[in-house]
């Protein structure tokens, strides 16, 4: 604990830096993945190909991507942009599947009702598809956020500072408290982001909080799709 | 793109083909670490996952554990355990880290697979006089195999990726080219190593994709007429396994009576 006391300023600065490096790819990934997920859901013939190609990106180990990306896009390995772009790629890879599943889980009866009462497809997306897919989108975003925060630490191995610095520095100098502090702060940042996203969801989507109504029509359809969507999301990680 | 040419030149240079630092030797180390960790993860996680899926108990705990494991930074875990056991026993530290990362994925695949089985099918098996063990091994395990493979697949890829970090604590593997390349500023070596790592990950992913395709191919059934709202949410093994098991209401009542 004496180490923490003596280095509190450094821990704070690294935590802020870490948070900033995490938030950027989470936001970029979400903004890119939701339209991609929509396209994957909407155009059935595209779905398989699009999701497999994006899924392949996720199989690339992070340290290898940090090395491969700079010569491809012409930036320095040490640049923060290297980390942000690489982690945005992972965010997109994870989030697109969640988004496609979220849109697919919207009850088709509700969607057809919207069409029947004359909604244009643009208006239907904003008034029906997005609000109903919202809770599942947010659940996916929470998974993305937590894994991004932990991946940021790997950047230190190619020289991009974050809380990961406490791991390498702590190992080299043999200070257990330093590494432990790094782990605790990484988990704390992940939990804080997770909480912020969950709270944002409660504020933006009060309908997701309500207990499920008794469904009198087609009960099997909605329950089945939501159950399957959930297992797919769990297994994807 | 010059860098890539240099990386390939480095990769196919004679120095990389022989000796203790040859690419094939490092690849072997990498695969060995991965295989050991995946097997240990499976031995731990599959029985627990099947128990959770079969009894329906403890799922909350499993979900919470996998969430917590996702938040843990693997590099932090690797360094702190190495420091605790000493650099000489870094293999032990690394294996523990790999297993900690692998278990949640296999666990999720195992219980999701068992859970995906239509309860009516389980009831039918029970009504036929199968014991709980028979139901688990002959009904739930085969139907849930696709999802279990999915879990093993993500565990394997996770472990392959984390094994790259093992070079940082002196364990070799393919990550050594990146770690050493940074230290001596040899970008062609880093890039060459990174390319081999990517190919390895893609090949392993392909092997699992092939295995999943082979076991689900036999079970593929036509789309149900009710599915008009676009493709199903999970057109993976989950979808096919469930579609296959969901019978007509008549068959269901027959089973449970």
């Amino acid at each position: 604990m004496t180490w923490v006391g003596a280095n509190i300023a450094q821990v704070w600065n690294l935590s802020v830096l870490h948070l900033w490096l995490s938030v950027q790819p989470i936001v970029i990934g979400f903004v890119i993945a939701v339209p991609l997920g929509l396209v994957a859901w909407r155009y059935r013939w595209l779905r398989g190909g699009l999701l497999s190609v994006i899924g392949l990106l996720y199989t690339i180990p992070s340290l290898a991507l940090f090395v491969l990306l700079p010569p491809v896009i012409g930036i320095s390995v040490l640049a923060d942009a290297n980390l942000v772009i690489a982690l945005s790629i992972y965010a997109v890879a994870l989030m697109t599947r969640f988004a496609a599943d979220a849109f697919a889980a919207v009850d088709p009866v509700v969607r057809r009702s919207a069409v029947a009462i004359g909604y244009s497809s643009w208006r239907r997306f904003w008034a029906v598809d997005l609000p109903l897919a919202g809770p599942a989108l947010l659940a996916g975003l929470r998974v993305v956020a937590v894994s991004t925060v932990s991946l940021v630490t790997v950047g230190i191995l190619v020289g991009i500072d974050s809380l990961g610095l406490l791991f390498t520095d702590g190992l080299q100098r043999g200070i257990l408290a330093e590494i432990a502090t790094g782990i605790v702060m990484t988990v704390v940042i992940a939990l804080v982001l997770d909480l912020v996203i969950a709270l944002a969801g409660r504020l933006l989507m009060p309908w997701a909080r309500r207990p499920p109504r008794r469904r009198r029509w087609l009960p099997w359809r909605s329950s089945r799709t939501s159950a399957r969507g959930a297992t797919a999301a769990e297994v994807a990680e | 793109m010059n860098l890539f040419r240099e990386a390939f030149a480095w990769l196919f240079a004679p120095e990389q083909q022989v000796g203790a630092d040859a690419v094939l030797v490092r690849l072997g180390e990498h695969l060995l670490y991965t295989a050991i960790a995946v097997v240990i993860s499976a031995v731990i996680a599959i029985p627990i996952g099947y128990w959770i899926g079969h009894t329906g108990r403890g799922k909350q705990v499993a979900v919470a554990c996998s969430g917590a494991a996702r938040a843990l930074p693997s590099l932090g875990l690797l360094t702190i355990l190495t420091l605790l056991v000493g650099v000489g026993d870094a293999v032990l530290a690394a294996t523990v880290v790999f297993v900690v990362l692998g278990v949640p994925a296999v666990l999720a695949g195992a219980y999701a697979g068992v859970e995906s089985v239509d309860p009516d099918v389980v009831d039918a098996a029970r009504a036929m006089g199968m014991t709980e063990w028979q139901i688990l091994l002959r009904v739930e395990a085969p139907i849930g195999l696709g999802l279990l493979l999915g879990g093993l697949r993500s565990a394997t890829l996770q472990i392959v990726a984390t094994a790259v970090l093992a070079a940082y604590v002196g364990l070799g593997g393919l990550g050594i080219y990146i770690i050493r390349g940074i230290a001596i500023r040899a970008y062609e070596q880093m890039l060459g190593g990174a390319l081999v790592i990517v190919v390895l990950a893609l090949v392993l992913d392909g092997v699992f994709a092939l295995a999943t395709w082979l076991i689900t191919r036999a079970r593929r059934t036509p789309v149900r007429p009710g599915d008009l709202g676009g493709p199903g949410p999970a057109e993976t093994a989950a979808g096919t396994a469930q579609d296959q098991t969901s019978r007509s209401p008549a068959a269901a009542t027959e089973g449970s009576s």
Side-chain angles (χ1 to χ4, degrees):
Chain A
M1 281 299 111
T2 47
W3 183 88
V4 181
N7 294 278
I8 195 88
Q10 194 203 8
V11 171
W12 174 254
N13 289 339
L14 287 175
S15 301
V16 172
L17 178 64
H18 196 107
L19 181 66
W20 173 233
L21 287 175
S22 311
V23 168
Q24 295 174 78
I26 295 168
V27 172
I28 296 171
F30 188 74
V31 169
I32 296 175
V34 169
L36 276 179
L38 188 71
V39 167
W41 163 77
R42 180 71 187 76
Y43 301 100
R44 202 191 166 124
W45 53 274
L46 254 173
R47 184 190 156 89
L50 188 67
L51 290 186
S52 337
V53 169
I54 288 175
L56 282 185
L57 290 174
Y58 196 67
T59 63
I60 300 175
S62 50
L63 190 53
L65 190 57
F66 295 155
V67 174
L68 281 172
L69 208 52
V72 173
I73 56 177
I75 55 170
S76 160
V77 184
L78 294 165
D80 284 354
N82 181 20
L83 184 86
V84 170
I85 295 170
L87 295 188
S88 300
I89 291 175
Y90 288 131
V92 169
L94 261 182
M95 193 62 215
T96 303
R97 177 167 282 277
F98 289 147
D101 288 351
F103 288 118
V106 173
D107 194 333
V109 176
V110 178
R111 190 176 284 128
R112 284 198 293 255
S113 316
V115 177
I117 59 173
Y119 276 41
S120 66
S121 55
W122 176 253
R123 198 168 152 218
R124 195 194 67 197
F125 171 75
W126 291 104
V128 179
D129 287 329
L130 193 60
L132 288 179
L137 287 176
L138 232 58
L141 186 63
R142 291 171 71 179
V143 173
V144 172
V146 171
S147 79
T148 303
V149 171
S150 122
L151 276 173
V152 167
T153 59
V154 178
I156 191 63
L157 293 184
V158 291
I160 301 166
D161 281 353
S162 68
L163 284 169
L165 180 63
L166 302 183
F167 303 157
T168 52
D169 193 59
L171 181 66
Q172 278 157 17
R173 294 164 55 188
I175 305 172
L176 205 63
E178 184 173 1
I179 308 181
T181 307
I183 295 177
V184 169
M185 287 314 292
T186 311
V187 174
V188 166
I189 291 178
L191 289 179
V192 166
L193 277 181
D194 189 54
L195 203 69
V196 167
I197 297 171
L199 277 178
R202 280 182 155 240
L203 289 176
L204 294 172
M205 296 181 294
W207 56 87
R209 223 174 358 184
R210 244 176 266 152
R213 270 178 311 170
R214 256 187 307 159
R215 301 186 193 89
R216 252 167 297 160
W217 73 100
L218 300 180
W220 61 86
R221 188 190 299 277
S222 37
S223 64
R224 183 174 297 268
T225 45
S226 62
R228 251 203 265 165
T231 44
E234 283 159 17
V235 172
E237 249 307 280
Chain B
M1 289 305 108
N2 232 343
L3 278 170
F4 280 101
R5 202 176 307 137
E6 284 173 31
F8 279 110
W10 174 86
L11 203 53
F12 294 107
E15 300 87 72
Q16 266 61 251
Q17 317 307 325
V18 288
D21 195 38
V23 172
L24 277 180
V25 174
R26 297 303 185 188
L27 178 69
E29 285 173 351
H30 209 101
L31 280 173
L32 187 68
Y33 293 146
T34 306
I36 291 173
V38 170
V39 168
I40 296 176
S41 304
V43 168
I44 295 173
I46 293 178
I48 301 176
Y50 278 173
W51 181 79
I52 292 172
H54 187 75
T55 62
R57 275 181 287 180
K59 196 186 159 187
Q60 303 305 324
V61 180
V63 171
C65 284
S66 65
R70 196 180 299 134
L72 278 178
S74 43
L75 183 63
L77 220 51
L78 185 66
T79 48
I80 203 165
L81 282 177
T82 304
L83 198 57
L84 281 173
V85 301
V87 179
D89 288 321
V91 179
L92 186 71
T95 308
V96 171
V97 175
F98 300 157
V99 170
V100 166
L101 294 170
V103 161
V106 182
L107 195 65
Y111 74 65
V114 172
E115 260 184 357
S116 74
V117 179
D118 192 322
D120 291 337
V121 173
V122 177
D123 283 344
R126 206 167 276 139
M128 280 167 59
M130 282 179 147
T131 64
E132 294 303 305
W133 276 111
Q134 284 173 325
I135 293 172
L136 182 63
L137 297 178
R138 296 199 201 161
V139 179
E140 291 173 327
I143 294 176
L145 191 59
L147 280 172
L148 175 64
L149 267 180
L152 284 170
R153 181 180 184 171
S154 46
T156 304
L157 291 171
Q158 177 89 43
I159 291 170
V160 164
T162 313
V164 178
L165 310 183
Y168 186 73
V169 293
L171 284 184
L174 289 167
I176 188 131
Y177 302 120
I178 297 182
I179 300 293
R180 196 202 291 141
I182 291 165
I184 62 172
R185 297 181 186 280
Y187 209 89
E188 75 287 345
Q189 186 173 150
M190 290 164 70
L191 205 52
L195 287 169
V196 180
I197 293 164
V198 171
V199 170
L200 172 65
L202 292 180
V203 166
L204 286 175
D205 191 46
V207 169
F208 274 101
L210 186 69
T212 312
W213 180 76
L214 282 175
I215 67 149
T216 51
R217 188 182 52 152
R219 301 189 189 154
R220 199 152 292 159
T221 45
V223 180
R224 283 171 302 171
D227 271 352
L228 292 174
E235 270 192 323
T236 51
T240 43
Q242 271 204 342
D243 288 347
Q244 211 228 349
T245 49
S246 58
R247 303 261 168 78
S248 67
T253 40
E254 227 171 75
S256 52
S257 61

